[in-house]
Amino acid sequence: MKPLTTTMIPFLLLVIPIVGAFAACPPVSLNTSTNVWKNLSLYHNVYYSEQVLAAGPKIQDPVLQKKALQIADVGVFYWVNNVSNIQAVESAVGNSKVPCDRIVGVVLQGIEGRNCTSPRFKVTAVETYKREFVDPLSKIIGQNPGTAFAVIVEPGPLGNIVVNLDSNLPSCAELRSTYRGNAAYAIRTLNLPNVVLYLDAGHGGTIGLDKHLKLGAEELAALYKLAGSPSQVRGIAVNTANYNSWDLSPGEFSNPWKKPENFAINEQRFITMLGKELAKVGVPHHAIMDTSRNGAQGWRYEWEDWCNIYGAGFGRRPTAEGLGLELADAFVWAKAGGVSDGTSDESSPSYDPFCGKVDAFKPSPEAGEWNQEYFEMLLENARPEIEVDHGN
Ligand SMILES: *[C@@H]1O[C@H](CO)[C@@H](O)[C@H](O)[C@H]1NC(C)=O
Ligand SMILES: *[C@@H]1O[C@H](CO)[C@@H](O)[C@H](O)[C@H]1NC(C)=O
Ligand SMILES: *[C@@H]1O[C@H](CO)[C@@H](O)[C@H](O)[C@H]1NC(C)=O
Ligand SMILES: *[C@@H]1O[C@H](CO)[C@@H](O)[C@H](O)[C@H]1NC(C)=O
């Protein structure tokens, strides 16, 4: 046997801590022919839990205060939508911190310009996207092979692309090719054994329209095939950060004068209808649905409205049980309820008119900031209600 040479020392120093770090859980290999949520429950977002625990004591009503404490334990996704968020994911889930029976949820949203008809539209270059988002995220996931990850890929662009397909705007053609190239790179790179991937498919109110279902499926197929049909893609994510109901019938917007051409009146119908189209074009189509803020219905003015909807409530807690649709894997909480979607302050440079609409909660702080009153409203309007022990 060769003696240890000095050149081997740096190598050993590198290997020992890594081996030591993931001794806690054996390497994860997710079989995407199965519903992985049956055995793994969604890990909590440690930053959100901290926000919730800080919010609790500010609540006057003692029952509501107890309800808030329940929310601190609920599984919630991590959002990777700016460079500093990625470091935050690493600190939260690195070094085997996550118990073996959990799955870490990540929403990858590195494509910045998601509305091609907006004057603020700009292209996210593939090189930037790779360097700032996908490669660092894939590194973190690769360094934690004993931890399972579920990644929702790029909410936002798909609906905008499909809605504007016949606009002939150069910016919309740019968004389409940016989305396709960037998201394909993402799913090809994140196609690791400890990852299950869900392509964001918008919600019933956008892609669910009769005239959009086939086009939406074809866009997802183009991206999936460009990426080389990665094995870890399980299907689609629906209703991310949105408010649609799972099974309300007639749906909130099934009134004919509102949407005569849309039969995807709830997300259960949407998954079924889009699933049929995806099957035709060879794309996996099991689904997860965000139920973080869909507990209360009937508050939106228009189906398109997405910003801090007034009257909303927390929805079903994350679960893989009792969904009643084979295509549906799990209800998840992708959005961290209480974190603002955008500011209602018209003088802010980041003001979006959707956040000033009649159905938007006011005042609301900048996107990503905590809104205590909104959080309390979500608690009060939660359905099912948040159970608390009334004993003491
Ligand atoms: C994945 O699950 C399917 C369905 O249960 C099974 O047929 C297949 O053998 C599994 N693959 C691996 C690699 O375990
Ligand atoms: C869940 O775990 C059990 C026991 O380890 C295993 O038999 C089963 O295949 C797993 N199910 C899924 C969907 O992974
Ligand atoms: C996109 O931007 C246009 C122009 O500002 C606006 O009318 C439209 O409502 C926006 N779409 C979304 C989904 O925000
Ligand atoms: C990234 O987003 C978080 C919240 O989502 C925010 O607190 C932080 O300031 C952002 N950082 C940058 C560099 O934009």
Side-chain angles (χ1 to χ4, degrees):
M1 201 180 130
K2 277 187 194 169
L4 266 184
T5 61
T6 47
T7 55
M8 289 172 78
I9 290 171
F11 173 75
L12 287 174
L13 290 177
L14 200 73
V15 167
I16 292 164
I18 294 175
V19 171
F22 55 75
C25 305
V28 172
S29 183
L30 298 174
N31 182 347
T32 55
S33 303
T34 66
N35 179 3
V36 305
W37 301 87
K38 288 284 182 189
N39 280 350
L40 297 166
S41 59
L42 186 60
Y43 189 57
H44 66 287
N45 177 323
V46 299
Y47 306 103
Y48 180 60
S49 297
E50 280 168 14
Q51 284 174 308
V52 167
L53 291 175
K58 295 181 195 154
I59 300 173
Q60 304 293 320
D61 174 355
V63 174
L64 213 55
Q65 209 181 86
K66 282 190 185 174
K67 289 184 176 183
L69 294 180
Q70 304 280 323
I71 299 299
D73 293 330
V74 176
V76 173
F77 273 59
Y78 290 80
W79 284 67
V80 163
N81 53 10
N82 69 38
V83 181
S84 58
N85 277 339
I86 298 189
Q87 257 49 61
V89 172
E90 181 160 34
S91 321
V93 307
N95 291 314
S96 304
K97 283 192 203 67
V98 180
C100 307
D101 60 352
R102 298 299 161 88
I103 183 164
V104 173
V106 175
V107 180
L108 171 62
Q109 192 176 50
I111 298 175
E112 222 181 319
R114 295 185 290 274
N115 182 355
C116 63
T117 60
S118 160
R120 278 182 279 175
F121 173 74
K122 61 174 176 182
V123 169
T124 303
V126 179
E127 277 316 311
T128 315
Y129 184 72
K130 287 180 180 180
R131 189 181 63 244
E132 293 188 350
F133 291 98
V134 179
D135 293 352
L137 180 60
S138 125
K139 190 170 163 223
I140 294 166
I141 293 174
Q143 282 170 349
N144 292 280
T147 300
F149 290 85
V151 183
I152 295 177
V153 179
E154 293 299 335
L158 182 73
N160 197 262
I161 290 165
V162 169
V163 168
N164 295 303
L165 266 181
D166 48 15
S167 75
N168 293 322
L169 286 172
S171 55
C172 291
E174 278 181 318
L175 176 61
R176 195 179 185 195
S177 68
T178 300
Y179 168 67
R180 202 174 279 186
N182 288 7
Y185 180 78
I187 62 174
R188 200 162 59 229
T189 309
L190 300 174
N191 193 47
L192 303 165
N194 53 332
V195 177
V196 57
L197 298 162
Y198 293 92
L199 308 174
D200 195 279
H203 62 92
T206 51
I207 303 294
L209 271 72
D210 272 9
K211 61 178 181 181
H212 291 159
L213 281 166
K214 187 166 176 284
L215 297 172
E218 284 168 355
E219 283 302 312
L220 291 175
L223 142 67
Y224 177 69
K225 282 165 192 168
L226 179 64
S229 308
S231 65
Q232 297 311 102
V233 175
R234 166 79 176 162
I236 55 173
V238 302
N239 202 45
T240 305
N242 212 289
Y243 304 84
N244 290 352
S245 158
W246 168 239
D247 57 4
L248 191 68
S249 186
E252 191 179 354
F253 294 98
S254 49
N255 195 333
W257 64 264
K258 286 180 171 168
K259 279 278 181 266
E261 73 284 45
N262 192 340
F263 298 97
I265 53 165
N266 58 45
E267 296 300 279
Q268 192 172 28
R269 290 268 286 270
F270 175 52
I271 290 168
T272 306
M273 292 170 80
L274 182 61
K276 280 202 184 105
E277 296 300 327
L278 289 168
K280 287 184 201 159
V281 290
V283 178
H285 44 281
H286 282 88
I288 53 173
M289 175 190 179
D290 185 358
T291 54
S292 57
R293 301 189 297 188
N294 75 341
Q297 301 292 318
W299 293 93
R300 279 177 295 180
Y301 179 62
E302 290 180 292
W303 210 346
E304 291 74 20
D305 295 352
W306 53 267
C307 192
N308 302 319
I309 297 303
Y310 180 88
F314 284 116
R316 290 276 298 273
R317 266 55 97 198
T319 182
E321 302 305 324
L323 277 71
L325 181 70
E326 195 278 327
L327 279 185
D329 285 347
F331 293 139
V332 300
W333 281 17
K335 175 73 189 183
V339 172
S340 177
D341 296 320
T343 179
S344 57
D345 175 2
E346 287 178 39
S347 66
S348 163
S350 56
Y351 174 73
D352 187 302
F354 274 89
C355 304
K357 287 186 79 165
V358 289
D359 55 6
F361 190 98
K362 300 175 204 76
S364 284
E366 294 286 341
E369 286 178 15
W370 186 255
N371 189 346
Q372 178 76 18
E373 285 176 58
Y374 198 83
F375 174 69
E376 293 183 23
M377 181 191 74
L378 290 173
L379 286 174
E380 278 185 67
N381 298 345
R383 291 292 179 280
E385 281 190 45
I386 299 158
E387 285 172 29
V388 291
D389 172 12
H390 291 275
N392 43 55

